[in-house]
Amino acid sequence: RKLPSVAVPPAEVAGETPMTGAVQGPGTGAARQAYRLAVRGGVIRLDAVQPLRGTFHRRRGPIAWQPGMWCVRLLDADLRVLAQETAPAPDEPCVVRDPNVLTATGAPQVSKMTATGEAVMQVRLPTLPEARWIRVYRIAGSKPVELQQEPLGRLLASLPLSP
């Protein structure tokens, strides 16, 4: 049996909702840009900014705020927050169980994997011509904040955007 197709209004595409972890700010239903951030040795740099084209699926749900994640914000020239997005931190060590190395009890050995080179991530935010800065925070709390509030955590980078 074939399911009927349902039209989704453009403002609802890509999961732009006022919920936790979703893109917040004016213009969230409009054009978007990909901000590619690179981190090496704790230093974050803006690698590229590219316009996004195409239709993207609706986000399944908001990304929960968790300690260690990043909060990426767009700011104007007066340092007012225009939009924000949460993202998994690309520089965090990954803990996995290695099935090829067993402990004395026969269980997989726990291994910690750390990136040896540059870690790169992409954050999608609205295209806002008034944006002049991008700020990256490492979140310390589990409660999301509104645009007018400062995130609980540490500011990792404040990067200028070319006009």
Side-chain angles (χ1 to χ4, degrees), residues 12 14-25 28 58-65 84-86 142-147:
E12 295 179 22
E16 286 94 355
T17 62
M19 295 188 292
T20 309
V23 172
Q24 297 177 10
T28 54
R58 180 182 236 175
R59 182 182 277 174
R60 288 186 179 158
I63 299 174
W65 279 55
Q84 72 180 12
E85 177 68 88
T86 53
S142 57
K143 285 192 172 189
V145 296
E146 298 297 322
L147 292 178

Side-chain angles (χ1 to χ4, degrees), residues 64-88:
W65 279 55
Q66 297 175 5
M69 292 184 72
W70 282 8
C71 174
V72 181
R73 292 179 145 195
L74 281 180
L75 294 90
D76 66 10
D78 296 323
L79 302 180
R80 286 185 300 242
V81 179
L82 303 171
Q84 72 180 12
E85 177 68 88
T86 53

